[in-house]
Amino acid sequence: MAVQTVQNTSASDAGTGTVDLGPAAALSCRECGERFPLGPIFACESCFGPLEVAYDLPTDGPEALKERIAQGPNNIWRYAPLLPVPADVAAHPNINPGFTKLVKADNLARELGITGELHVKDDSGNPTHSFKDRVVAIAVEAARAFGFTTLSCSSTGNLAGAVGAAAARAGFRSCVFIPHDLEQGKVVMAAVYGGELVGIEGNYDDVNRFCSELIGDPLGEGWGFVNVNLRPYYGEGSKTLAYEICEQLGWRLPDQIVIPIASGSQLTKIDKGLRELIKLGLVEDKPYKIFGAQAEGCSPVSTAFKAGHDVVRPQKPDTIAKSLAIGNPADGPYVLDIARRTGGAVEDVDDEQVVDAIKLLARTEGIFAETAGGVTVGVTKKLIEAGLIDPSLTTVVLNTGDGLKTLDAVAPTTGPTATIRPSLDAFREAGLA
Amino acid sequence: MAVQTVQNTSASDAGTGTVDLGPAAALSCRECGERFPLGPIFACESCFGPLEVAYDLPTDGPEALKERIAQGPNNIWRYAPLLPVPADVAAHPNINPGFTKLVKADNLARELGITGELHVKDDSGNPTHSFKDRVVAIAVEAARAFGFTTLSCSSTGNLAGAVGAAAARAGFRSCVFIPHDLEQGKVVMAAVYGGELVGIEGNYDDVNRFCSELIGDPLGEGWGFVNVNLRPYYGEGSKTLAYEICEQLGWRLPDQIVIPIASGSQLTKIDKGLRELIKLGLVEDKPYKIFGAQAEGCSPVSTAFKAGHDVVRPQKPDTIAKSLAIGNPADGPYVLDIARRTGGAVEDVDDEQVVDAIKLLARTEGIFAETAGGVTVGVTKKLIEAGLIDPSLTTVVLNTGDGLKTLDAVAPTTGPTATIRPSLDAFREAGLA
């Protein structure tokens, strides 16, 4: 979702008190660097650039910090000293995502011709089975700090469920906006947590526009929109993917990491997280390459990358990878910067390759990925074939969601090998023994 | 699924070699106590009673054992010293389930009038999102030890996916048998891992009968049926729920625990696990009560319990809680014993109460449960109202699967609060601000 420039004036008031968000010191503009006190604002007052959290990072030295982290809970709150959350965050009611499996994928590595280490970071293990639980969990803490009572978002799927679940557990009212014609399965997942769910007669752009209006209106007073006025905090949740990957590798940077691109925020925050770990001395300072993955039917960033452009030209999405289908990705230019700076690349695969990659991952590692996972695995294969990913190094591929959420992608081509009468003769004839 | 009395003679040969399954010392008959060497057998040669694993449990003392466990991985293999698996099991390719969240459910406790501690053990966090991953993971290690090359089962859902995923990752061929007319979603989940999936023209009973024939036939040579000839090992996976609950409570027994009943195996193995922990001194020896939960439409055990019977009369299942719909539960009589011995009970709820309970858990704790989770939460509510569960004590309720797998149960009554035009006026009129 695009960062928006309308500020929630009513909610800004909530940010003027003393706010304890742990090591978070201020918000700073990613464009002009101007700093602002912590509050529910998301765009620079001077240049309209996106705001991000600036930290006073811990100074207790790498070994002591590793020890603190190891003593923490088996979720993202083990990294509380590096996140915009209070020190006692683990005691708050929250959905507690994270510390998902980093699966050493030897079978997949063999099929892809990888001779080094290949790992899949499998975020389908989160509470509502996508990485969105990470970002929402942080937004919940910011909402609490700013005194919001309602959590909201616009969504077409994963985010709605993550907000509904987190709000229910954390004791917030929730009100989530979706296009009125979503598939029933997604509607059920968004509604089952008992919050308000409002269908908007229009498409996702109409829903977004409506939310922007609501944020600037007294009607929206006390409302935290996780991906709008809480976005600077929300986005930081993706850093935890970087922390977990490195800790699970034994406090080691991967050489290469393949990340899906929707708005591009996740990729930029993983890079931010890796740089923090280097700065803190938690990992050795060595080069790493970041690769971005898109679906061909919504590939504005890979198109710009391959054309050598700095700007990203919007596209009208048409792909089965709906969770990545953002035609005008807000962080696209930052993604281009990072891919180029680290020596990575941005690539895309078509829908058929996405389906093939979902099946490849399932068949080799027993991981059933959402379409976004098919995109990263498919792009990894393509980048190896193109010589851009070095198969002799350590590579991490992200799976950010669960195949149960996008069954339609594989259903047409996934079914029984055979259907037979219940007899040994019939089984023998089917040739499966 | 019922324990069957046909032995796989061909596979028995595989068990005559030296088998390293860690602390597993033998199989022993639950009825007559006769012991047999570890092998792929499942029924007593003397009395046809079900076999279970007998152990040489660790002797290194409770504190040393706790330390060993704490050093282990964040999955069921941390309990390898108490399971029928080799000591180096964590290094084998396997699906690595377990160590799922024990959620302190304060919001739900308030709604149920619980003044003590209430926890939900949420097994939807397993790799294929049900507790079946635990039992299948152990069966995989047994299959490896016995030299099987194909993993198989009969299934109507969760088990098929768990076997498919585990076989893919562990490097086994899989061949899973399902009724030919399953819903497409379940078929996709069973087929996506790339193993053989065979639809059988008939109902689940026909599928089971066919598998029994196959196991006794040369066609089935080298095949490990996880819930038939590997059943004694498979069942032990449920013990890990007991271990995790106690460890996550700070090495403390819950006072009361509510467990769903399908075959009844899970309940009996959780009891076995709790008794082992007491014997090993890992928890204080004090009374605990075990409660069994069924759906009214398939309640042979609760019917027998309430009538004071020792035998369980089979029923024809008719309930939305399909993962519990076993009309002739093999371990029913053992469940009755345990509920009576511990001072617990067995109760059932109707389908409407199941749906209400799913929504209650989602609304209060942000956990979207499978119908089986609705059964346990609904039964907990009923048992509190009946005065059989003491609301002042520590209670643990199991959720054994994920709501994404049984969307149909809640879909008819779960949808948007309102559908509006994208305007603030329309929103104001809807009265949701």
Side-chain angles (χ1 to χ4, degrees), chain A residues 11-25:
Chain A
S12 297
D13 306 339
T16 54
T18 310
V19 170
D20 174 14
L21 288 176

Side-chain angles (χ1 to χ4, degrees), chain A residues 226-294:
Chain A
V226 299
N227 55 349
V228 188
N229 57 352
L230 297 175
R231 190 174 183 85
Y233 310 94
Y234 166 90
E236 296 294 290
S238 289
K239 289 197 311 178
T240 59
L241 280 161
Y243 303 153
E244 291 181 16
I245 288 167
C246 290
E247 184 180 1
Q248 290 170 323
L249 287 175
W251 291 114
R252 182 162 62 94
L253 285 170
D255 299 306
Q256 305 167 127
I257 177 164
V258 185
I259 305 169
I261 300 170
S263 74
S265 168
Q266 186 183 59
L267 187 147
T268 67
K269 297 302 182 182
I270 289 175
D271 177 61
K272 185 180 180 184
L274 295 176
R275 285 184 288 117
E276 285 174 352
L277 295 185
I278 292 173
K279 196 171 160 191
L280 289 162
L282 292 181
V283 295
E284 192 191 352
D285 186 1
K286 70 166 192 67
Y288 58 84
K289 293 184 180 183
I290 289 192
F291 297 86
Q294 296 207 293

Side-chain angles (χ1 to χ4, degrees), chain A residues 104-398:
Chain A
K104 187 146 185 293
D106 293 344
N107 299 333
L108 178 60
R110 252 190 313 275
E111 296 242 2
L112 295 179
I114 288 181
T115 53
E117 281 174 42
L118 176 66
H119 300 264
V120 175
K121 179 63 175 169
D122 184 13
D123 247 14
S124 67
N126 276 318
T128 71
H129 308 312
S130 88
F131 93 98
K132 291 288 184 190
D133 290 321
R134 297 177 183 272
V135 287
V136 169
I138 307 274
V140 162
E141 296 304 320
R144 215 189 296 272
F146 299 139
F148 289 128
T149 51
T150 297
L151 277 187
S152 186
C153 70
S154 53
S155 171
T156 63
N158 284 336
L159 185 57
V163 167
R169 176 147 172 85
F172 288 79
R173 176 176 181 260
S174 69
C175 188
V176 168
F177 299 94
I178 56 172
H180 70 119
D181 56 356
L182 274 196
E183 306 92 298
Q184 195 194 27
K186 288 189 180 169
V187 173
V188 170
M189 284 160 49
V192 75
Y193 302 102
E196 311 287 353
L197 179 71
V198 179
I200 296 286
E201 290 166 358
N203 60 24
Y204 184 59
D205 287 336
D206 296 316
V207 180
N208 264 333
R209 240 187 322 268
F210 169 77
C211 288
S212 298
E213 275 187 70
L214 184 53
I215 243 175
D217 190 273
L219 274 178
E221 205 162 330
W223 288 47
F225 286 78
V226 299
N227 55 349
V228 188
N229 57 352
L230 297 175
R231 190 174 183 85
Y233 310 94
Y234 166 90
E236 296 294 290
S238 289
K239 289 197 311 178
T240 59
L241 280 161
Y243 303 153
E244 291 181 16
I245 288 167
C246 290
E247 184 180 1
Q248 290 170 323
L249 287 175
W251 291 114
R252 182 162 62 94
L253 285 170
D255 299 306
Q256 305 167 127
I257 177 164
V258 185
I259 305 169
I261 300 170
S263 74
S265 168
Q266 186 183 59
L267 187 147
T268 67
K269 297 302 182 182
I270 289 175
D271 177 61
K272 185 180 180 184
L274 295 176
R275 285 184 288 117
E276 285 174 352
L277 295 185
I278 292 173
K279 196 171 160 191
L280 289 162
L282 292 181
V283 295
E284 192 191 352
D285 186 1
K286 70 166 192 67
Y288 58 84
K289 293 184 180 183
I290 289 192
F291 297 86
Q294 296 207 293
E296 190 182 282
C298 181
S299 53
V301 188
S302 69
T303 302
F305 181 86
K306 290 190 257 188
H309 294 162
D310 292 331
V311 287
V312 172
R313 190 173 302 170
Q315 292 182 0
K316 194 167 178 315
D318 178 20
T319 168
I320 57 169
K322 292 193 202 303
S323 65
L324 303 182
I326 296 184
N328 187 15
D331 286 343
Y334 301 115
V335 168
L336 293 172
D337 282 353
I338 291 167
R340 287 174 180 142
R341 170 171 52 77
T342 65
V346 185
E347 187 50 274
D348 56 82
V349 283
D350 65 29
D351 285 358
E352 196 182 325
Q353 290 169 314
V354 171
V355 171
D356 287 348
I358 290 173
K359 292 183 184 176
L360 174 64
L361 180 61
R363 175 168 61 76
T364 52
E365 301 298 340
I367 297 171
F368 182 23
E370 207 206 47
T371 44
V375 168
T376 51
V377 171
V379 161
T380 302
K381 183 166 187 283
K382 198 165 172 180
L383 289 170
I384 291 169
E385 287 161 3
L388 290 170
I389 283 183
D390 182 338
S392 71
L393 300 178
T394 296
T395 304
V396 173
V397 178
L398 263 61

Side-chain angles (χ1 to χ4, degrees), chain A residues 129 169 173 365 402 432, chain B residues 129 169 173 365 402 432:
Chain A
H129 308 312
R169 176 147 172 85
R173 176 176 181 260
E365 301 298 340
D402 202 290
L432 295 169
Chain B
H129 307 313
R169 175 144 172 86
R173 175 176 182 259
E365 301 298 339
D402 202 290
L432 294 168

Side-chain angles (χ1 to χ4, degrees), chain B residues 108-125:
Chain B
L108 179 60
R110 253 190 313 277
E111 296 242 3
L112 294 180
I114 288 181
T115 53
E117 281 176 42
L118 176 66
H119 301 262
V120 176
K121 180 62 176 172
D122 185 12
D123 246 15
S124 67

